[in-house]
């Protein structure tokens, strides 16, 4: 079975961790990334960790001509599509940039895949498509709605993929809806490296702990939750990365079934799957765990709720277990330990000049 995979956005936070797990699972990978929100140093480090150079192409997913060259020179089994922009606040200020990158980029990629008869696709979606959920835990049949352009761009791509699956039953389109990815590789060599002041909770906590930021603001302590602070489903990035391997393994099994001709309707079509732990943890619980596990002080204060935040959001992880035979294994303690190992050894992330 062909096991060559194109990983768009493979130099980024989740992509780089996934490259390691894919390599360990025996997949042959080619990374395609424009480095707009990442550093080539991540690729260097992944290469060192896996003990061989990663094949890397610097390119934009909106560049159809370059993508065609890449597809003409490699025969891919499928594509894992991480490439996209992800800052919610920026997306409100620059919606066209987000729709262009995330929606047009995906359409361009899908067109090239179609031209080269590559029909296995794994898309990075987000729990953000569930908006403010009515029922917890959130399963994949829950209503979808979004309140910001970033979320809309993910939801729009989901709709495009649904339409594509209806139009042509050769497509195998797995949509992975990530909850809150945190943590770093066990080696401490790769991790999350925000360009600016972090928007997300865990990098903010770790930058306070390492002394780069003064104090964490906890946005809201009057939610109807266990301690008044927001509740999220934090998932270790290595578990998340392994979820992609499980999704690919599933696509490979389906390809075998189809090849054997035993089931004419064996295409996967549009298949949304949550990647979460199924467990909610409050913001205060995470901060407290981080302080306990790392023995580092983290100054914090309570502040106003952040616009657009929901009180609680955690996954039903049953579908991933049933279909992909995958479940998250790592704990909140692992997430804190591994984040701290990465942050304390790389206080400036991948930039070596500072
Ligand atoms: P990231 O920014 O670290 O990685 C994204 C990568 O894509 C970067 O290396 C960037 O340079 C590249 N990229 C962006 N636009 C591109 C383009 N037009 N052409 C080629 N490369 C491009 O982000 P991440 O946290 O690793 O997220 C990966 C994916 O998962 C994104 O699509 C994101 O929206 C989605 N997601 C992330 C989270 C999260 O909290 N991190 C949660 C849910 C979904
Ligand atoms: C988590 C909790 C904050 C920072 C976002 C995107 C979502 C997905 C994951 C991409 C909330 C609180 C945060 C801080 C705080 N990304 N917080 N102080 O908002 O659940 O999800 O990232 O798809 O689309 O919206 O994650 O880490 O920003 O916040 O108190 O400085 O931490 O209010 O309750 P969120 P987050």
């Amino acid at each position: 079975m062909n096991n060559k995979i194109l990983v768009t956005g493979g130099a980024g936070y989740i992509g780089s961790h996934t490259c390691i797990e894919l390599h360990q699972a025996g997949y042959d990978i080619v990374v395609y990334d424009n480095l707009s929100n990442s550093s080539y140093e991540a690729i260097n480090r992944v290469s060192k960790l896996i003990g061989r150079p990663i094949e890397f192409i610097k390119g934009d997913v909106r560049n159809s001509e370059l993508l065609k060259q890449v597809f003409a020179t490699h025969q891919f089994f499928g594509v894992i599509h991480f490439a996209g922009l992800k800052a919610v606040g920026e997306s409100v200020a620059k919606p066209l940039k987000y729709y262009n990158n995330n929606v047009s980029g995906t359409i361009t990629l899908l067109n090239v895949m179609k031209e080269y008869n590559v029909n296995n696709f794994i898309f990075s979606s987000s729990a953000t498509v569930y908006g403010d959920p009515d029922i917890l835990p959130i399963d994949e049949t829950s209503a979808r709605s979004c309140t910001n352009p970033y979320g809309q761009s993910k939801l729009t791509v989901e709709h495009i993929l649904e339409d594509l699956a209806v139009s042509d039953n050769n497509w195998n389109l797995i949509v992975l809806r990530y909850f809150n990815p945190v943590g770093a590789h066990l080696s401490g060599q790769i991790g999350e490296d925000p360009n600016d002041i972090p928007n997300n909770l865990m990098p903010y906590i770790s930058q306070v702990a390492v002394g780069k930021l003064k104090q964490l603001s906890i946005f809201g302590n009057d939610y109807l939750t266990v301690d008044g602070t927001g509740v999220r489903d934090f998932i270790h990035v290595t578990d998340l990365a392994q979820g992609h391997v499980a999704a690919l393994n599933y696509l490979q099994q389906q390809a075998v079934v189809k090849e054997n001709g035993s089931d004419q309707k064996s295409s996967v079509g549009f298949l949304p799957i949550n990647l979460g732990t199924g467990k909610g943890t409050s913001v205060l619980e995470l901060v407290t765990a981080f302080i306990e596990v790392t023995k580092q002080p983290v100054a914090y204060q309570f502040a106003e709720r952040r616009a657009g935040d929901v009180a609680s959001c955690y996954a039903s992880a049953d579908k991933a277990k049933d279909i992909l035979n995958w479940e998250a294994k790592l704990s909140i303690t692992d997430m804190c330990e591994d984040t701290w190992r990465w942050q304390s050894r790389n206080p400036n992330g991948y930039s070596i000049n500072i």
Side-chain angles (χ1 to χ4, degrees):
M1 174 71 64
N2 173 8
N3 66 353
K4 191 175 260 200
I5 310 298
L6 181 69
V7 184
T8 76
Y13 172 46
I14 303 169
S16 55
H17 288 80
T18 304
C19 286
I20 294 178
E21 301 304 318
L22 288 171
H23 172 78
Q24 280 170 3
Y27 287 99
D28 186 7
I29 52 181
V30 175
V31 170
Y32 185 94
D33 196 306
N34 67 1
L35 300 180
S36 60
N37 195 40
S38 51
S39 161
Y40 188 75
E41 179 60 12
I43 295 293
N44 278 333
R45 293 192 185 186
V46 171
S47 297
K48 276 193 195 132
L49 287 167
I50 67 174
R52 52 167 290 190
I54 293 248
E55 183 161 359
F56 178 80
I57 296 146
K58 186 171 178 199
D60 195 295
V61 286
R62 292 162 297 179
N63 184 343
S64 178
E65 290 314 307
L66 182 58
L67 274 179
K68 284 181 191 172
Q69 280 176 35
V70 174
F71 276 74
T73 44
H74 298 273
Q75 213 184 342
F76 293 116
F77 169 77
V79 177
I80 305 185
H81 182 38
F82 292 107
L85 300 175
K86 63 168 180 178
V88 173
E90 189 193 38
S91 80
V92 176
K94 298 176 179 169
L96 293 177
K97 181 177 174 187
Y98 273 68
Y99 287 117
N100 184 345
N101 218 302
N102 295 1
V103 180
S104 300
T106 305
I107 293 172
T108 304
L109 175 61
L110 288 165
N111 269 319
V112 175
M113 287 178 67
K114 189 170 166 57
E115 192 175 326
Y116 286 85
N117 284 316
V118 178
N119 54 4
N120 296 301
F121 188 67
I122 297 177
F123 176 64
S124 297
S125 190
S126 167
T128 197
V129 301
Y130 295 121
D132 196 353
D134 291 332
I135 300 168
L136 293 164
I138 307 168
D139 75 26
E140 290 80 353
T141 63
S142 303
R144 289 170 291 168
S145 72
C146 288
T147 53
N148 59 72
Y150 166 72
Q152 281 297 351
S153 74
K154 291 290 172 188
L155 192 47
T156 303
V157 171
E158 287 206 7
H159 289 316
I160 291 169
L161 296 175
E162 280 175 278
D163 291 343
L164 200 57
V166 170
S167 73
D168 174 353
N169 70 6
N170 280 312
W171 285 103
N172 305 304
L173 307 166
I174 299 191
V175 165
L176 298 176
R177 296 180 181 143
Y178 314 152
F179 279 66
N180 288 60
V182 296
H185 191 255
L186 191 61
S187 64
Q189 287 296 304
I190 60 167
E192 189 168 9
D193 181 20
N195 266 337
D196 221 328
I197 296 176
N199 300 307
N200 296 116
L201 179 62
M202 189 61 122
Y204 207 107
I205 294 174
S206 64
Q207 291 199 14
V208 172
V210 85
K212 291 183 78 178
L213 295 169
K214 272 215 165 71
Q215 174 169 262
L216 169 75
S217 289
I218 295 183
F219 300 136
N221 62 347
D222 57 353
Y223 287 110
L224 282 178
T225 60
V226 57
D227 54 22
T229 65
V231 166
R232 295 292 183 275
D233 188 338
F234 299 101
I235 174 168
H236 196 294
V237 66
T238 298
D239 276 331
L240 193 73
Q242 288 170 1
H244 293 75
V245 174
L248 258 186
N249 291 345
Y250 177 75
L251 291 178
Q252 293 245 314
Q253 285 158 18
Q254 296 303 307
V256 171
V257 172
K258 190 134 193 176
E259 229 172 62
N260 294 341
S262 51
D263 181 359
Q264 286 302 310
K265 285 189 182 158
S266 61
S267 286
V268 171
F270 174 83
L271 179 61
I273 298 185
N274 289 342
L275 291 184
T277 64
K279 189 175 164 290
T281 301
S282 80
V283 172
L284 194 55
E285 284 169 344
L286 186 70
V287 176
T288 309
F290 188 94
I291 294 169
E292 264 175 37
V293 168
T294 64
K295 314 272 183 271
Q296 300 301 313
V298 177
Y300 65 85
Q301 63 172 6
F302 293 110
E304 290 296 299
R305 291 180 180 193
R306 185 172 67 179
D309 274 353
V310 301
S312 296
C313 174
Y314 53 93
S316 159
D318 294 348
K319 192 172 175 186
K321 174 92 174 112
D322 292 347
I323 296 185
L324 304 182
N325 195 25
W326 169 90
E327 63 188 326
K329 296 192 179 78
L330 298 169
S331 65
I332 291 285
T333 300
D334 297 316
M335 299 177 210
C336 294
E337 264 175 7
D338 297 344
T339 299
W340 181 239
R341 190 178 303 106
W342 154 253
Q343 182 72 75
S344 55
R345 291 187 189 174
N346 304 272
N348 295 311
Y350 292 115
S351 53
I352 34 193
N353 305 326
I354 300 172

